[in-house]
Structures are given as C-alpha cells and as structure tokens.
Amino acid sequence: MESFSFPILTLMIFIPLVGMIVLAFTKQSQLTAIRTIASIFSGIPMILAVILLANYNPSGDFQFVEKVSWIPSLNINYFLGADGVSMPMLVLTALLSFISIVASFGITHRAKEYFIFFLLLEVGMMGVFAALDFFLFYIFWEIMLVPMYFLIGIWGGPRKIYAAIKFFLYTLFGSIFMLVGILILYFFAVEPGSAGEVARNLHTLDLTVLASMAQNENGLFLREGLQLLVWMFFFIAFAIKVPVWPFHTWLPDAHVEAPTAVSVILAGVLLKMGTYGLLRISFPILPYGTDYFSKFMAVLGVIGIIYGALVSMAQKDLKKLVAYSSVSHMGYCLLGMSVFSYFGEPFIVGISGCMFQMVSHGLITGALFLLVGVIYDRAHTREIAAFGGLWTKVPVYGSLMTFFCMASLGLPGLSGFISEFLVFVGGFAQYKVLTGIAVIGVVLTAGYFLRMIQKVFLGQFNVKWSNLTEINFREIFTVVPLAILTIMIGIYPRVLSYMMDDTLMKLSDKIINGVNIVKGILG
C-alpha cells in the first residue's frame, strides 16, 4: 500500500459536503450563486480525480491510502484507498457528478435544496468507491439512499412518490442482507492458526484483512456452507443495485420519474455499485462462494441481456427504452465477471470486459439520458411515435443521439464494442451456449435503437415540431466529454486497461487460490 502527500481521497469525498454547508447559507433567490457554488464544489473533486489519475501507479496495490483508528473498541478504522477496480469508478463518478450539476441548471424549483441533495449524493458515491473498511462502506452506501429518495420524490415526474418509495424500499431491503453479512464476517473473522497454534478472533471489518484471511492455507475463516450463505446475502444486496433480473423492477420507475441529471447518476454510477461491490467484497473475501455461484451469475446475466433487450423493443417512451437497455447492458457485466480465469495471455478477459462495460455504460447511457432530457425540455413528451424527421430540424442533436445509440449497440471503434467483445471472448471460453445466446442481445440492441432512430429522426418531418430549437452550448458541453472518452476507449482501450489489468490479475489469483485452498481442505 502506498500513501500520498495529502489526503486526496478524503478531499474528493468531503469537498462536496463543504459545498452543501455553503449552499445552506445562500438565499433561495440567488439562483446564479447556487448554481456556481454547486459547480465549484463538484468541479474540485473532478480536478482532484485528474491528479489522482496522473499519480496512479498501475501496480495492482492499494494507493493513496489513508488509515486512522476511528472506533478502537470495535476495531473500526477510517480506511480509504484506491486500486485498479476503484480508480475508474472514482474518475467516472467525479466526471458524471460535475456534468450532472451543469445539466441541472434548468432546475428552478427549490434549487438550493436540489443542489444540496446532489452534493450529498456525490459524498456517498465517492465514499463507497474509496472505503476499505466495511463500517465506512456501509455508511456511505446508506448515505446515498437519502438524497436519491428526495431528488426523485420532489423533483421527479407525475409518479415520483411511488418511484422514490419503491427505490428506497428495494435498496433498503438489500442493505439489510448486507448488514447481516457484515455482522457474520465481523464475528466469524477468525484467523486459523498453524499446527499447534490456537485460532485468533480478529473482529475486524478491514476489507484487506478479510481478503487476506481467505488466502490462509491453515484453515477456513468461514466454513463452506456459511461462506455460501454470506455470499448469497451480499449478492442479493448488490444484485438489487445492479439491477440483476428479477430484482430490476425498481429501475424503470426510478429512471422514468427522476429528473434528467438524477437518471444520469443512476445509470452512470449507482448501478455500478452493485458490480463494484461484488468485485471489491464477494470476489476476494468469499472466493469459494464466487466460484460456486459463477454459473448462476452467468445465467442471470444472460437472462438480463435478452430480457432487457426484448422489453426495450416494446417501449414507446424514449426514457423507458434507455432504462431497460441498462438492464440488458448490465447483464453483460454479470456474464463477464462470472469468468475469472486466464485466457491465453495473462489477461483477465471476462472481468476486464465487466470493468470496461461498467465505464462504457456509464459514459454512453449517461449521455443518452442527457439527450433524452434535452428533447423532453423542449417537447414535453418522450413518446417515440410523436416525433419524426427531426434530423432536418435539429441536425446536431440528431447526430449526437445517433452517435451514442451506435456506441450503445456496440459499433466497432467505440467503447461499447470493446466491452462486449471482451465479455464474449471471456464468456465463450467457459460458457459457450450461454455466450451464444448472449450474442443475440447485440442484434436485439441494434433493433430497438435503429427503430428508435428511424421513428424519431428519419422519415417525414412532423410539422408539430417546427419551433423545436437546436441543442444549446451548455447541453453540448455536458455530452462532448462523454463522446471523447467513448471514442478514446474504443480506439485505444489501453487508456483504461492499463490502470486495472494488474489489479484484476491479482484478484483472479486470489479467487483461484482461495478456491483451491477450500477444495484442498474439503478434500
């Protein structure tokens, strides 16, 4: 583990909190000041994320480590760090949070409270990706619930209360399983002693210590049956967040009713917390459970890919179409992470595909939600059939929307192609039939996106939209960085893979070694 000269992760997490305090003393009528303050305190973490990236050493170890004893009687620490799994997520979170703040400048109703909740949401998201102590992780995980509930419930659409409550209850339900899993790990965190030595109860919530205990050859710190049970507890918590079919039903309601910027964060960051949780917690700490349920994950991933794509094809609402496409695209993540073995070169193809898909989906779907918001702000409808021939009226908007649709359906040269290709290569090595079925999802994705482009942008222009205005500079500013990154990753994947390859190889080694230890002990 390496430290940094100043607590950069702490600053990235808590600077938005300072912004909340400043906003609290700003008058509701000072709309420009509110927007400026929110932008500044969301922009600073983005600058820090660039510094973080510039100083990152892709060795696979935790860096920028900050560790301070917090509650000594319970062996709980304020413990932060970043490795190849969390680095892309921290940068993505900082970027999408700033973009979402800028995209929210159209909010005028109770703007002060809106931006306060948004900054609090950023605190929770950053904290989840940086926390290396379970207690800290759980606190940040729960912090996100509150602002998201109010952002949907106050500034959402006609069914906002229903959507907000449903989102809250689903996530809280999953959190209960996570809490039970944490308690079991805490009380069963026993380090087996070597011959002649007595096992030592550690009572720790340190994620790095728990992961190292799974590599102890002297015995199991969780018996195999209990390990499978705890793995399933965490899986339920994370699967709801992803969301994995059949835990997905909160997502379309939340997306459709949420304001545009909140949908961007939902798709770009919050869904990734489920897959991140599996990679950060379940994989290294519970390797036997991960191996045992790997095919189960692959099956659920493929169901999600096909189900999400088929339901997207039936949608008449633009935002619902993009929302269900997220269920399909996150299925690729699950299929990719179910394969964690070497394939040819020392490169973890399946999990790499999952990580690429996490970033790529965040960029592409975040942009799609921004663009759906652009048309909704002008037309006050998202009904696909209501439009037609818009490309002649708003060519820049039409070009941007088409670009991101092509990226989402996996056009070569764009990031979506790289992520899906890696998932398929990794998946085919282990699950040939399932991966063959998953490939059908690409065809279905092309079907619903091309159908949408044809109905909205091509054909005869609907004169009802003669007064429709082109996308403005601020709106272009929010999607251009996402387009640049989508192209960069698509053309030169190394810009992303360099920071995570070593971490993923070490993660794969831990899983394989952990499984072999368990199988050796069980005979």
Side-chain angles (χ1 to χ4, degrees):
M1 296 183 185
E2 296 179 15
S3 59
F4 201 55
S5 56
F6 66 100
I8 188 167
L9 291 175
T10 294
L11 292 174
M12 287 178 68
I13 294 169
F14 292 107
I15 279 178
L17 193 66
V18 177
M20 290 172 56
I21 296 169
V22 176
L23 279 177
F25 291 97
T26 308
K27 291 181 180 178
Q28 188 74 266
S29 58
Q30 297 175 307
L31 200 54
T32 303
I34 290 169
R35 291 168 179 166
T36 305
I37 292 167
S39 301
I40 290 172
F41 284 94
S42 182
I44 294 173
M46 192 178 68
I47 295 169
L48 292 172
V50 174
I51 297 172
L52 197 76
L53 196 58
N55 288 277
Y56 178 70
N57 177 10
S59 63
D61 296 324
F62 285 108
Q63 297 163 50
F64 316 107
V65 173
E66 301 168 32
K67 189 171 185 179
V68 179
S69 180
W70 184 10
I71 309 175
S73 59
L74 295 176
N75 197 18
I76 291 172
N77 300 304
Y78 175 81
F79 189 15
L80 304 175
D83 64 353
V85 175
S86 52
M87 269 298 297
M89 294 297 102
L90 286 165
V91 176
L92 182 68
T93 303
L95 174 65
L96 289 181
S97 296
F98 176 70
I99 284 175
S100 297
I101 290 282
V102 175
S104 299
F105 281 4
I107 298 286
T108 54
H109 171 62
R110 300 174 65 181
K112 186 171 87 170
E113 291 94 324
Y114 175 88
F115 286 109
I116 285 175
F117 281 127
F118 220 108
L119 290 174
L120 180 59
L121 183 62
E122 188 173 354
V123 172
M125 294 186 296
M126 287 289 188
V128 165
F129 291 129
L132 292 179
D133 186 283
F134 244 135
F135 189 76
L136 200 59
F137 180 91
Y138 189 76
I139 286 176
F140 285 126
W141 184 276
E142 291 298 291
I143 281 178
M144 292 184 304
L145 267 179
V146 178
M148 188 54 83
Y149 171 79
F150 286 110
L151 286 167
I152 298 173
I154 296 176
W155 291 274
R159 297 171 67 242
K160 57 191 178 186
I161 302 298
Y162 169 77
I165 292 175
K166 192 172 181 180
F167 162 79
F168 194 94
L169 290 179
Y170 263 71
T171 312
L172 189 65
F173 178 76
S175 298
I176 292 168
F177 282 92
M178 188 196 294
L179 183 60
V180 175
I182 291 172
L183 291 173
I184 292 173
L185 287 179
Y186 182 74
F187 285 105
F188 283 81
V190 178
E191 187 177 41
S194 55
E197 293 183 354
V198 179
R200 189 164 59 101
N201 199 324
L202 296 177
H203 286 315
T204 182
L205 293 175
D206 185 322
L207 293 176
T208 60
V209 172
L210 289 169
S212 67
M213 287 165 61
Q215 306 297 311
N216 193 316
E217 297 180 356
N218 296 321
L220 298 176
F221 83 94
L222 280 182
R223 295 185 62 81
E224 64 277 11
L226 187 58
Q227 185 167 158
L228 296 181
L229 180 68
V230 175
W231 192 95
M232 189 51 71
F233 282 171
F234 283 117
F235 180 76
I236 292 171
F238 298 138
I240 290 173
K241 208 70 158 185
V242 173
V244 174
W245 180 91
F247 302 106
H248 67 283
T249 60
W250 65 268
L251 181 70
D253 291 313
H255 266 312
V256 170
E257 300 305 322
T260 296
V262 178
S263 289
V264 173
I265 292 297
L266 259 176
V269 182
L270 258 67
L271 306 192
K272 312 302 176 297
M273 289 184 176
T275 45
Y276 175 80
L278 287 167
L279 292 171
R280 170 63 66 225
I281 294 166
S282 303
F283 277 40
I285 296 175
L286 306 164
Y288 179 68
T290 300
D291 180 63
Y292 187 89
F293 288 112
S294 58
K295 190 166 187 178
F296 170 71
M297 285 194 294
V299 170
L300 288 182
V302 173
I303 291 174
I305 290 169
I306 302 300
Y307 171 82
L310 287 174
V311 178
S312 292
M313 293 188 83
Q315 296 309 310
K316 298 176 181 177
D317 183 297
L318 260 176
K319 207 172 183 184
K320 266 193 172 179
L321 183 150
V322 180
Y324 274 108
S325 77
S326 291
V327 177
S328 179
H329 283 113
M330 293 307 290
Y332 291 108
C333 288
L334 214 61
L335 176 60
M337 67 167 50
S338 68
V339 185
F340 35 79
S341 57
Y342 288 90
F343 181 78
E345 295 295 319
F347 185 68
I348 313 303
V349 181
I351 307 182
S352 286
C354 168
M355 285 296 301
F356 267 89
Q357 180 71 349
M358 287 164 67
V359 176
S360 176
H361 179 263
L363 299 172
I364 297 169
T365 308
L368 285 173
F369 276 118
L370 285 168
L371 292 170
V372 170
V374 168
I375 199 72
Y376 183 72
D377 286 345
R378 289 158 173 74
H380 303 295
T381 180
R382 296 185 299 257
E383 188 181 350
I384 294 171
F387 299 104
L390 283 190
W391 214 325
T392 57
K393 183 66 182 174
V394 285
V396 177
Y397 174 79
S399 301
L400 286 168
M401 181 62 105
T402 303
F403 169 82
F404 283 108
C405 287
M406 293 297 165
S408 189
L409 63 84
L411 192 74
L414 302 174
S415 61
F417 172 76
I418 300 295
S419 57
E420 290 177 6
F421 183 76
L422 290 174
V423 167
F424 290 145
V425 171
F428 195 77
Q430 196 153 339
Y431 307 112
K432 291 181 172 55
V433 175
L434 284 174
T435 306
I437 297 170
V439 172
I440 298 171
V442 176
V443 180
L444 296 175
T445 305
Y448 63 76
F449 272 125
L450 293 176
R451 168 182 158 272
M452 184 273 285
I453 291 170
Q454 188 266 326
K455 285 183 174 294
V456 175
F457 297 104
L458 304 178
Q460 188 172 359
F461 176 62
N462 186 342
V463 293
K464 180 182 177 183
W465 309 113
S466 299
N467 296 323
L468 207 65
T469 55
E470 182 60 281
I471 185 170
N472 62 37
F473 175 77
R474 177 178 61 83
E475 292 161 339
I476 291 174
F477 173 78
T478 60
V479 295
V480 164
L482 306 181
I484 292 171
L485 288 172
T486 300
I487 296 170
M488 279 177 64
I489 295 171
I491 293 175
Y492 189 63
R494 184 69 184 159
V495 296
L496 184 58
S497 65
Y498 90 94
M499 71 175 85
M500 61 190 191
D501 280 356
D502 287 349
T503 301
L504 295 183
M505 280 192 278
K506 288 183 178 179
L507 179 62
S508 178
D509 287 342
K510 285 179 181 176
I511 298 168
I512 294 168
N513 189 49
V515 171
N516 289 335
I517 288 171
V518 174
K519 288 182 177 176
I521 291 171
L522 295 177

